[in-house]
Amino acid sequence: MQPQLQPVDRLTSLPTELFEIICRDAQADPSCPDLGLASKAFLHVARQRRFETVRLKSYRQLDELCGMIHLHGYIQNLEIWLPVDYGVPSPARLKRLICGLTSLRSLYVKNSPRLARELLAPPSATTLPNLTDLSLDQCFESLADFPHPFSPQLYASIGTYAKLCRLSVTVHDATTSRQLPSARPEYRGKPIPSLGGSRSWAITLHGPFAESPAALDFVASFQTIHALNLRTTSKSDVFASFVDSIQSPQQVQHLGLARAFTSIRPDDGVRDLVAHLPNLESVEFGNDVFRVALLPTLATLASLREVAFAADSDLDVRSNGDLGALLDGPNRLAQIRSVRVDMALVGRYDWRNTVKPSMRLAKKHGIRLHGRMYDDARAEVDD
């Protein structure tokens, strides 16, 4: 019987430079994640593509990932959406996972106080060395464990992460589907000077700001913030309260604001906060924030280049009153270069009568219109 010949993997014998060129071309191919089946030489690059983004939706999946130590270093983006915590995986396995995610850049965690605690207490400066973006969503719902979820003391160690510069924290209160009791013990915290070091931060906070001054101290703890997004679930006005909390207002280049509820009365909170940030380059308005009366204040921002309206914005699109005033009215923003509208209109309104007037005005003044509303409208025309 003839001896069975083993297949020769000639790729492993190629010069390093040539093989790297092949790998770069292979990474652009949709079948790249399967290349590890063709040659062991491709195993590294195939794993880089296949495990670049990982999404977990159960503690069983999280526990399984904890055991796949050989894959931890390939994950760059990790999303963890979890139900009620049943104590799995063990604290030791969680720590090992966190320490093994050496390539991780972006981490989103929902509904896991235990994992959030581990992340907010990194064991060393070498933990998650490439992490730049951390989002903690509904991880602090327990009043007993987290009476003030925005307290700076809870985040005292985040500066340990060498590259972290984007932090998002979402807390639901009694006015939302996940109830957090409104009766809290008295807040006795205070800002932590230079909480995030000297680096510039993008901070997003979503939750009840009026019920506790902790959110104000949280913002006040950062030396430099270049992007600030605030979404309040409080019914009273809170935006003006942040004016005195921003250490370096001249460094803020982006501002995003939204309310979970329609305010009972008009207020100047938005105007006061916008006026306090003289170098804004972009602003995004969510629900119940934009008023045409804001235009004179926005017009004073010489660096402003984009005005955006989020998907939940209550922008008056049917009458074109808001967009018309912004683009062509007596208080139009002559300095802006683009307007983004992420609201979905096609199938809801007579989108042609809604979109076309603003497109004509934008063309007249050389302003770029983009976002879902305009992308959908153009796609309808192309079809």
Side-chain angles (χ1 to χ4, degrees), residues 240-278:
S241 304
F242 284 92
V243 167
D244 295 330
S245 295
I246 301 172
Q247 286 196 39
S248 303
Q250 70 280 4
Q251 298 295 329
V252 182
Q253 299 174 348
H254 169 80
L255 178 67
L257 301 175
R259 292 187 178 96
F261 298 94
T262 301
S263 57
I264 299 175
R265 60 180 178 78
D267 58 75
D268 294 332
V270 176
R271 184 184 64 190
D272 292 345
L273 182 54
V274 169
H276 186 62
L277 307 174

Side-chain angles (χ1 to χ4, degrees), residues 134-197:
L134 176 61
S135 297
L136 302 176
D137 188 348
Q138 300 179 53
C139 292
F140 308 115
E141 308 303 288
S142 169
L143 180 63
D145 295 333
F146 307 103
H148 299 283
F150 295 119
S151 172
Q153 283 66 37
L154 189 60
Y155 308 87
S157 298
I158 61 170
T160 303
Y161 295 116
K163 295 184 179 180
L164 183 63
C165 58
R166 290 189 292 273
L167 179 62
S168 174
V169 181
T170 298
V171 177
H172 283 193
D173 64 0
T175 58
T176 58
S177 57
R178 291 291 302 276
Q179 291 196 351
L180 178 67
S182 57
R184 297 181 176 86
E186 182 182 357
Y187 173 70
R188 298 181 180 276
K190 59 182 180 180
I192 297 178
S194 301
L195 175 65

Side-chain angles (χ1 to χ4, degrees), residues 193-212:
S194 301
L195 175 65
S198 59
R199 73 194 81 158
S200 182
W201 287 78
I203 300 296
T204 297
L205 301 181
H206 178 175
F209 303 148
E211 288 75 8
S212 167

Side-chain angles (χ1 to χ4, degrees), residues 320 323-324 326-329 332-334 336-341 355-370 374 378:
N320 271 288
L323 284 173
L326 189 154
L327 294 169
D328 198 47
R332 81 176 186 89
L333 303 182
I336 65 172
R337 296 292 177 264
S338 69
V339 173
R340 189 183 84 244
V341 183
V355 172
K356 285 185 177 179
S358 59
M359 294 180 77
R360 285 195 296 268
L361 292 177
K363 184 177 181 180
K364 172 183 174 182
H365 296 292
I367 296 173
R368 175 179 175 244
L369 298 179
H370 63 120
Y374 293 105
R378 293 184 181 106

Side-chain angles (χ1 to χ4, degrees), residues 55-355:
R55 297 179 178 87
L56 308 176
K57 294 189 177 181
S58 72
Y59 278 96
R60 180 185 61 80
Q61 291 179 340
L62 178 58
D63 193 48
E64 290 176 351
L65 180 64
C66 287
M68 299 177 180
I69 301 174
H70 59 294
L71 300 179
H72 294 172
Y74 292 102
I75 302 173
Q76 297 183 37
N77 308 290
L78 180 58
E79 298 178 12
I80 304 175
W81 304 58
L82 298 174
V84 178
D85 191 342
Y86 295 108
V88 176
S90 67
R93 286 169 69 82
L94 272 181
K95 282 186 173 67
R96 186 170 62 182
L97 171 64
I98 293 172
C99 291
L101 296 171
T102 54
S103 299
L104 191 69
R105 298 195 306 256
S106 174
L107 176 58
Y108 173 89
V109 179
K110 183 171 183 175
N111 284 344
S112 182
R114 193 156 56 91
L115 182 52
R117 281 188 182 278
E118 294 288 347
L119 292 168
L120 293 178
S124 73
T126 59
T127 304
L128 301 178
N130 290 296
L131 183 69
T132 61
D133 190 339
L134 176 61
S135 297
L136 302 176
D137 188 348
Q138 300 179 53
C139 292
F140 308 115
E141 308 303 288
S142 169
L143 180 63
D145 295 333
F146 307 103
H148 299 283
F150 295 119
S151 172
Q153 283 66 37
L154 189 60
Y155 308 87
S157 298
I158 61 170
T160 303
Y161 295 116
K163 295 184 179 180
L164 183 63
C165 58
R166 290 189 292 273
L167 179 62
S168 174
V169 181
T170 298
V171 177
H172 283 193
D173 64 0
T175 58
T176 58
S177 57
R178 291 291 302 276
Q179 291 196 351
L180 178 67
S182 57
R184 297 181 176 86
E186 182 182 357
Y187 173 70
R188 298 181 180 276
K190 59 182 180 180
I192 297 178
S194 301
L195 175 65
S198 59
R199 73 194 81 158
S200 182
W201 287 78
I203 300 296
T204 297
L205 301 181
H206 178 175
F209 303 148
E211 288 75 8
S212 167
L216 303 179
D217 285 350
F218 183 92
V219 171
S221 296
F222 290 89
Q223 181 176 325
T224 305
I225 296 176
H226 68 267
L228 180 62
N229 295 281
L230 301 171
R231 182 181 182 89
T232 180
T233 58
S234 302
K235 292 185 178 181
S236 57
D237 174 51
V238 293
F239 295 129
S241 304
F242 284 92
V243 167
D244 295 330
S245 295
I246 301 172
Q247 286 196 39
S248 303
Q250 70 280 4
Q251 298 295 329
V252 182
Q253 299 174 348
H254 169 80
L255 178 67
L257 301 175
R259 292 187 178 96
F261 298 94
T262 301
S263 57
I264 299 175
R265 60 180 178 78
D267 58 75
D268 294 332
V270 176
R271 184 184 64 190
D272 292 345
L273 182 54
V274 169
H276 186 62
L277 307 174
N279 295 322
L280 283 176
E281 297 179 5
S282 63
V283 292
E284 181 177 63
F285 298 108
N287 180 62
D288 195 49
V289 176
F290 180 76
R291 304 282 190 275
V292 171
L294 279 173
L295 292 178
T297 302
L298 293 171
T300 65
L301 304 175
S303 299
L304 188 64
R305 292 297 177 263
E306 178 171 90
V307 176
F309 298 92
D312 67 338
S313 172
D314 58 346
L315 177 71
D316 177 13
V317 293
R318 299 192 71 174
S319 71
N320 271 288
D322 290 345
L323 284 173
L326 189 154
L327 294 169
D328 198 47
N331 293 312
R332 81 176 186 89
L333 303 182
Q335 77 275 39
I336 65 172
R337 296 292 177 264
S338 69
V339 173
R340 189 183 84 244
V341 183
D342 287 328
M343 302 166 64
L345 287 190
V346 175
R348 293 173 55 196
Y349 306 128
D350 181 357
W351 62 268
R352 291 175 178 81
N353 291 334
T354 297
V355 172

